Amino acid sequence: MAAEGTVRRRPVQRRSQERYERILDAAAHLLDEVGYAALTTKEVARRAEVPIGTFYQFFPDKSVLVHALASRNLDAYLDRLAAVERPETLEGTVEAAVEAFVAMRRTVPGFGVIDFGAGSRAEPMLTELLHVLDPAVDNNTAVALRVRDLFPALAGDLSVRVALECADAVLKLAFRVDPDGDPALIAECKKVLLSYLRA
């Protein structure tokens, strides 16, 4: 039996991997349409065109599905950052980190609802989504530690953690004001981060 909060079975064969990804894709699109509270395993399975039994082979419940989607989002975000020519300056690091997030928020289905687990939309904060990336720490701490590992120009762990909280709040506001992200607020987010991290 799978541990609480974990995927039951990791797909190995190509066909299983395709089904697994199809389930995650269906969940992401449904999150955009109905939000987390109205998301059901039955509708995800129907939209993914898999039997409900196949869904449950991978995911014991909705929260584990969202955990897997948040983890996939974080991996995609870190891949985007890793693909950027490694900035040696703090300015370049902040620019890369914010722009990668903004690009995902604009283009990745479901990202606006759960991003890395805690959520970006004005949906009620659900405790089951606060620790989806790492049971020992909240999502923003988990993201901050992973981003810190990628960029040597960043200061210590606590500074990166505080900077991430600031960015999270300002970027949420930017996407509440404008569905595509208010450019002025995105620019202000970068200024706040640079000012804080330089200090």
Side-chain angles (χ1 to χ4, degrees):
M1 182 163 203
E4 186 179 346
T6 61
V7 172
R8 281 195 167 141
R9 179 172 67 87
R10 296 277 178 198
V12 177
Q13 295 179 339
R14 183 175 169 206
R15 186 172 167 205
S16 290
Q17 289 172 344
E18 288 171 355
R19 284 183 176 171
Y20 181 88
E21 291 299 322
R22 210 162 63 231
I23 291 168
L24 290 179
D25 290 342
H29 286 283
L30 280 166
L31 283 167
D32 279 341
E33 293 171 26
V34 302
Y36 178 79
L39 185 74
T40 65
T41 57
K42 182 178 178 182
E43 183 57 20
V44 171
R46 188 193 72 72
R47 184 73 65 94
E49 299 178 345
V50 299
I52 192 70
T54 299
F55 176 95
Y56 286 119
Q57 285 177 357
F58 298 116
F59 308 103
D61 58 34
K62 177 171 85 168
S63 65
V64 174
L65 170 67
V66 171
H67 171 136
L69 191 55
S71 295
R72 183 173 83 166
N73 286 344
L74 179 56
D75 289 341
Y77 177 70
L78 295 171
D79 287 347
R80 284 175 185 242
L81 292 182
V84 173
E85 186 175 329
R86 197 59 54 94
E88 298 297 325
T89 66
L90 186 58
E91 292 81 2
T93 298
V94 166
E95 180 74 19
V98 171
E99 286 302 320
F101 183 91
V102 167
M104 287 186 71
R105 180 64 177 78
R106 288 175 176 158
T107 62
V108 175
F111 192 80
V113 179
I114 62 153
D115 60 51
F116 308 122
S120 291
R121 282 208 186 136
E123 191 165 323
M125 184 67 86
L126 300 170
T127 54
E128 64 194 87
L129 297 180
L130 293 176
H131 296 270
V132 299
L133 297 173
D134 184 332
V137 296
D138 64 89
N139 298 326
N140 279 352
T141 299
V143 174
L145 293 172
R146 299 277 302 273
V147 169
R148 170 73 177 88
D149 290 342
L150 275 180
F151 294 104
L154 293 175
D157 291 345
L158 181 60
S159 296
V160 174
R161 174 74 172 92
V162 171
L164 192 109
E165 287 293 334
C166 293
D168 189 43
V170 177
L171 291 173
K172 281 180 183 174
L173 176 61
F175 282 95
R176 273 199 311 269
V177 169
D178 179 342
D180 288 325
D182 181 75
L185 285 168
I186 292 168
E188 286 301 304
C189 177
K190 294 173 188 176
K191 283 165 58 175
V192 167
L193 294 180
L194 283 171
S195 177
Y196 171 71
L197 290 170
R198 280 185 183 132

